[in-house]
Amino acid sequence: MTMNPAYDMTYRVEHFERGRPHRVRSVDQRIGGRGINVTRVLNQLGRYARATGFSDHSFAAAAELEMPVDFVHALPWVRRTVVISESDDGTATALWEPGARISDPHAVDQLRVRVSGLLSDTGGLVIAGSLPGGVDVSLPAELARLAVAAGVPTICDVDGAALELAAGVPGVILMPNTHELERLTGRPTRTIPDILAAVDPLIANGVGAVIVTRGGLGMVAITPDRAWSAALPEPLAGNPTGAGDAAAAAVIASLAVTREPDWPTLLADAIAISAAAVVIPVAGEIDRGLRDRLAPTVRVTELEVVRARS
């Protein structure tokens, strides 16, 4: 689910410096948004996935050429995101427009109906990305609660107040990065013990699992009973823009098969798929051959979990 989709623009330059003109080597434009990227990666993994959320007519038509879609046409226009990708060292700089405001008072009700109709034939749901203006921050949590109640594994990969409310949904799976987790909990997240301490109250309040993405340092996954860290022996350089979306695709693909996955195997695949996205200049694509080569090299370590007493 992508409530605030975007046209992703990628500008490739040799080296980017503030305050001076640059000659762009090449430009890519494609439909995007975090849920769109998740859908695209799932389809590359051979898993049927449908994109939903809000859009305008033009964006929905463009998306339909590439993937199954079921959008509510409520946006007056769709924003752009710009990534400046540097070829000399792989650094990427992202500029994100805020997006249009939804003024149709019935749009949110239409999305509720759309989601309710899809749940009976859904193996998993990912709610990802930012919200357009005019949409209450409680909507991701509301839709997550609806999906979890229907027995559908649900990932919320949102931020800010929306993440805070989603954390109150029993059984939901959260996938924040370390900065998002720190803003959510008000606790430091620099080290693995920091992360475990920050996540502990979320698990105690009923969250089904928390998977914290740490960029090149890998991931930490915490469930009510156990916890693991996972990482490659060496991080890969490239464009990290779609890495988290690729990881979410890997996680929901596993949870759609079984509600009690082999977490070390799930994490190894998520790390490999995330890294296989980093080496692609545009978000929403993976190098499937690289994913297969990397998965056996991922280091997964079980962590000791000490729950705080209430």
Side-chain angles (χ1 to χ4, degrees):
M1 181 178 300
T2 305
M3 299 194 204
N4 198 18
Y7 292 102
D8 287 344
M9 308 286 297
T10 302
Y11 293 164
R12 294 186 184 86
V13 300
E14 179 66 28
H15 178 70
F16 179 72
E17 294 181 20
R18 292 176 57 195
R20 75 171 185 85
H22 297 77
R23 189 169 296 280
V24 177
R25 290 189 164 190
S26 64
V27 180
D28 280 323
Q29 175 176 301
R30 55 182 5 212
I31 60 168
R34 304 202 59 179
I36 291 288
N37 293 336
V38 173
T39 305
R40 188 181 276 128
V41 172
L42 282 167
N43 286 328
Q44 289 173 68
L45 295 174
R47 313 302 288 274
Y48 177 86
R50 180 182 297 270
T52 188
F54 299 117
S55 76
D56 64 4
H57 290 278
S58 296
F59 185 93
E64 193 169 8
L65 296 175
E66 184 180 345
M67 63 187 69
V69 301
D70 196 355
F71 284 107
V72 174
H73 299 159
L75 292 172
W77 48 270
V78 169
R79 67 192 178 116
R80 294 169 298 176
T81 64
V82 177
V83 172
I84 303 169
S85 178
E86 301 179 53
S87 58
D88 60 347
D89 63 0
T91 300
T93 302
L95 304 173
W96 297 339
E97 293 182 0
R101 183 177 185 85
I102 290 178
S103 57
D104 181 353
H106 305 295
V108 170
D109 288 336
Q110 291 174 25
L111 185 60
R112 290 191 189 101
V113 171
R114 198 73 48 95
V115 172
S116 297
L118 293 172
L119 287 178
S120 62
D121 194 31
T122 296
L125 173 65
V126 177
I127 302 171
S130 61
L131 301 177
V135 173
D136 194 273
V137 292
S138 65
L139 184 59
E142 178 185 343
L143 296 177
R145 194 180 301 274
L146 188 69
V148 171
V152 176
T154 302
I155 293 172
C156 275
D157 189 1
V158 293
D159 192 12
L163 177 58
E164 183 177 354
L165 292 171
V169 178
V172 74
I173 297 162
L174 305 179
M175 286 193 68
N177 61 36
T178 51
H179 301 296
E180 292 164 346
L181 180 62
E182 189 164 320
R183 288 192 291 269
L184 171 64
T185 64
R187 300 185 180 211
T189 57
R190 290 183 294 275
T191 68
I192 289 177
D194 286 344
I195 291 171
L196 294 176
V199 167
D200 188 51
L202 303 176
I203 295 293
N205 287 337
V207 168
V210 181
I211 303 171
V212 183
T213 56
R214 307 176 70 212
L217 296 177
M219 302 177 190
V220 175
I222 305 98
T223 72
D225 303 313
R226 302 169 72 181
W228 301 264
S229 66
L232 289 172
E234 296 291 337
L236 299 182
N239 177 13
T241 305
D245 303 330
V251 173
I252 203 64
S254 178
L255 294 175
V257 173
T258 174
R259 309 300 165 84
E260 298 182 2
D262 177 353
W263 278 91
T265 301
L266 180 155
L267 289 171
D269 197 39
I271 290 286
I273 290 175
S274 179
V278 168
V279 300
I280 304 296
V282 294
E285 299 283 345
I286 62 170
D287 182 328
R288 284 175 285 185
L290 179 61
R291 170 252 187 141
D292 294 339
R293 296 193 298 273
L294 288 177
T297 73
V298 177
R299 298 172 179 173
V300 181
T301 304
E302 184 156 8
L303 306 171
E304 182 179 1
V305 178
V306 180
R307 295 284 180 230
R309 294 183 179 179
S310 58

